[in-house]
Amino acid sequence: MTAALGNSPLEWLAVLTGFACVWLAARESLWNFPVAIFSCALYIVVYYRAQLYSDSLLQTMFIVLSLYGWYEWLYGGRSKTALVVSRTRGVEWVVCAAFVGAFTLGFGYYLQKHTDAALPHWDSFTTAGSLAAQYLLMRKRLENWWLWIVVDVIYVPILWYKQLYPTSALYALYLGLAVYGYLEWRKSMKSEVGAMKHA
C-alpha cells in the first residue's frame, strides 16, 4: 500500500509540479518554464534513485532547455517579438529523427555495458524523444504534442515497472494534456493565421 501511494513526498511534489508545468504549456503560459525548472530539479533525484540514469540526466538538460525556451517564447518571433505557434519544418523532422535514433542506440549501448540501468534502450529512447519534443515545444512547433504522446505511452509502463506509481499515473494524465495542448495550439495557430490575413 505504501508503494502505491508513492515512494516519497519528493516524488509527489515532483508529480504535482510536473502536471502544472504541462498544463501551463498547453495554455501557452510563460509560467510553464519556471515551474518546469523546479519540477525537473526534483526529478533528477527521483529518477536517479530509481536507477533511471538517462532520465535523470534528461532533467538536467530540460532545465537548460527551459531557460532557453523561456527566452524564445518572449523574443523568438519576428523583430524580437513573442513567438507564435507554427508547423514543424521538414529539416527539423529529419534532425529530430536522426538524433532520436543515434541517441537510443549509442547511449542505450553505453548504459547496458557500463551501468546497472534497468531498461537501457527504452530509457534512452524516451530520453531522446523527450528532448526532441522539448526542442519543438521550445520553438512553439505544433507537432511537439505528437512526440509527447508517443513518449508518454512508453513512459507509463516503464515507470509502473520501476514502482514509481504516482509518476506513472502522471504520465497517463500527460497523454490527455498532450491531446488538449495540441487542440489548443492548433486553435491558436489558426487564429494567428486569420489575424495575419486580415492585417
Side-chain angles (χ1 to χ4, degrees):
M1 183 65 176
T2 303
L5 291 174
N7 293 337
S8 69
L10 184 71
E11 185 186 351
W12 275 107
L13 184 56
V15 165
L16 293 173
T17 52
F19 182 86
C21 158
V22 177
W23 184 80
L24 288 167
R27 300 290 300 169
E28 289 188 76
S29 170
L30 276 173
W31 280 100
N32 89 85
F33 292 110
V35 174
I37 290 168
F38 180 68
S39 183
C40 289
L42 298 178
Y43 268 120
I44 289 173
V45 179
V46 172
Y47 285 136
Y48 186 84
R49 288 176 177 173
Q51 297 173 297
L52 293 171
Y53 304 126
S54 185
D55 283 308
S56 183
L57 175 64
L58 172 65
Q59 304 309 308
T60 305
M61 299 172 81
F62 272 164
I63 290 173
V64 175
L65 288 173
S66 292
L67 289 169
Y68 179 67
W70 199 343
Y71 175 85
E72 281 293 298
W73 278 32
L74 281 171
Y75 306 111
R78 292 180 180 176
S79 304
K80 297 290 183 180
T81 57
L83 204 60
V84 297
V85 179
S86 60
R87 292 280 185 184
T88 304
R89 298 171 181 170
V91 65
E92 289 174 323
W93 280 124
V94 171
V95 171
C96 284
F99 169 75
V100 170
F103 188 95
T104 299
L105 294 174
F107 201 62
Y109 177 81
Y110 171 80
L111 290 177
Q112 185 176 34
K113 294 294 183 181
H114 301 289
T115 74
D116 59 348
L119 301 163
H121 286 92
W122 283 112
D123 190 13
S124 296
F125 176 78
T126 51
T127 296
S130 296
L131 285 171
Q134 183 67 17
Y135 169 77
L136 295 181
L137 183 144
M138 196 172 62
R139 295 296 303 148
K140 266 200 177 179
R141 303 301 192 202
L142 175 65
E143 294 80 9
N144 86 87
W145 298 109
W146 293 358
L147 295 187
W148 285 124
I149 288 170
V150 172
V151 168
D152 294 342
V153 165
I154 297 170
Y155 262 129
V156 171
I158 286 178
L159 294 167
W160 191 269
Y161 169 74
K162 293 303 297 179
Q163 298 184 331
L164 296 172
Y165 301 119
T167 302
S168 178
L170 173 65
Y171 274 83
L173 292 174
Y174 279 169
L175 279 171
L177 280 178
V179 173
Y180 172 73
Y182 175 77
L183 295 174
E184 286 294 304
W185 281 34
R186 187 175 64 175
K187 189 189 308 178
S188 173
M189 188 176 69
K190 287 181 178 179
S191 297
E192 187 66 30
V193 171
M196 288 177 65
K197 286 182 178 178
H198 292 93

